[in-house]
Amino acid sequence: AQRVTQPEKLLSVFKGAPVELKCNYSYSGSPELFWYVQYSRQRLQLLLRHISRESIKGFTADLNKGETSFHLKKPFAQEEDSAMYYCALSRTRNQGGKLIFGQGTELSVKP
Amino acid sequence: KAGVTQTPRYLIKTRGQQVTLSCSPISGHRSVSWYQQTPGQGLQFLFEYFSETQRNKGNFPGRFSGRQFSNSRSEMNVSTLELGDSALYLCASSLLGDFNEQFFGPGTRLTVL
């Protein structure tokens, strides 16, 4: 079965500290992984996807197929990073627009 | 360009009733996906429509149905409402589905009394 697990419901850090939001997945094929973010009173939006291999707002994520993980990292957290973060999995190509989401991690960055 | 719009934004219904929610995708997007968000279950995929055909379906009972029109607008219907159907229903559109970025609407908050 396809599943995405985000073990932390809440992660609280101080401004300037490194942050890592964990995401583990189970899927027998080769999935595509995404991080979506929801800022307060805003819509859910794409933060980054592993196929792009890019850094967005200082965040990076590396797909580790051996550990089936896709952790989101940022070396220096900012207060504006406070939001709800969702890790999501899409099945192999040509399987349409179905995303399987984790339960989400609320990131709180304190001044 | 205009984002994904959903109507209505809030709904209150009673058990046994049925409800229809509407989603207008971003112009040019052909894929529309629907998700249910609850505090207990999180975000769960309902179904996806592409070019007026249901392409993917989640694990929801048959009371949940949807359709897509030729202009890519989509509706979802829930019949015989149950208390557990209270949730935020999100729709998302993307160019072709697949690995394209999904753009989410603001959601429709459904409360079943």
Side-chain angles (χ1 to χ4, degrees):
Chain A
Q2 304 144 28
R3 178 174 291 182
V4 176
T5 303
Q6 294 178 249
E8 304 132 331
K9 289 188 70 172
L10 173 64
L11 186 62
S12 185
V13 301
F14 286 102
K15 177 182 173 182
V19 63
E20 181 179 47
L21 289 81
K22 292 185 174 9
C23 172
N24 289 91
Y25 67 90
S26 64
Y27 180 58
S28 56
S30 294
E32 294 295 338
L33 277 297
F34 306 82
W35 277 98
Y36 278 79
V37 61
Q38 188 166 29
Y39 301 101
S40 178
R41 290 185 289 279
Q42 292 188 29
R43 305 178 181 199
L44 195 60
Q45 59 186 285
L46 178 68
L47 179 62
L48 56 79
R49 51 189 140 181
H50 98 269
I51 55 174
S52 299
R53 303 189 187 281
E54 55 191 348
S55 172
I56 303 293
K57 298 185 179 183
F59 284 98
T60 59
D62 290 318
L63 178 60
N64 186 322
K65 291 186 178 181
E67 296 182 0
T68 59
S69 68
F70 188 56
H71 303 327
L72 183 67
K73 301 177 184 179
K74 185 169 183 176
F76 308 103
Q78 304 298 315
E79 289 180 66
E80 55 265 31
D81 295 330
S82 295
M84 196 73 186
Y85 290 81
Y86 294 93
C87 182
L89 174 155
S90 179
R91 299 177 298 174
T92 49
R93 194 168 290 274
N94 300 322
Q95 292 297 314
K98 173 181 178 178
L99 289 172
I100 298 165
F101 284 92
Q103 289 287 78
T105 297
E106 182 181 355
L107 174 64
S108 174
V109 182
K110 301 183 187 305
Chain B
K1 54 185 174 182
V4 177
T5 58
Q6 292 187 245
T7 57
R9 293 294 309 279
Y10 302 92
L11 265 178
I12 299 176
K13 293 286 187 179
T14 56
R15 279 182 300 173
Q17 288 187 309
Q18 76 165 19
V19 67
T20 299
L21 313 181
S22 181
C23 172
S24 292
I26 291 172
S27 177
H29 285 191
R30 295 167 62 188
S31 168
V32 174
S33 297
W34 288 89
Y35 298 85
Q36 181 196 65
Q37 186 175 29
T38 59
Q41 300 298 317
L43 278 155
Q44 293 187 286
F45 174 79
L46 281 154
F47 31 64
E48 182 218 3
Y49 285 86
F50 180 81
S51 293
E52 302 179 65
T53 301
Q54 187 179 87
R55 186 162 65 171
N56 278 289
K57 189 177 187 307
N59 298 321
F60 279 80
R63 299 185 297 106
F64 292 82
S65 63
R67 59 178 175 169
Q68 186 180 35
F69 302 95
S70 57
N71 61 358
S72 293
R73 190 177 71 83
S74 177
E75 289 182 346
M76 69 163 279
N77 183 278
V78 188
S79 63
T80 320
L81 283 166
E82 300 177 0
L83 296 179
D85 297 332
S86 294
L88 181 67
Y89 290 88
L90 296 172
C91 94
S93 78
S94 66
L95 203 58
L96 298 172
D98 206 16
F99 299 138
N100 294 149
E101 176 180 355
Q102 291 195 21
F103 293 83
F104 283 81
T108 293
R109 172 73 62 185
L110 172 65
T111 302
V112 182
L113 303 175

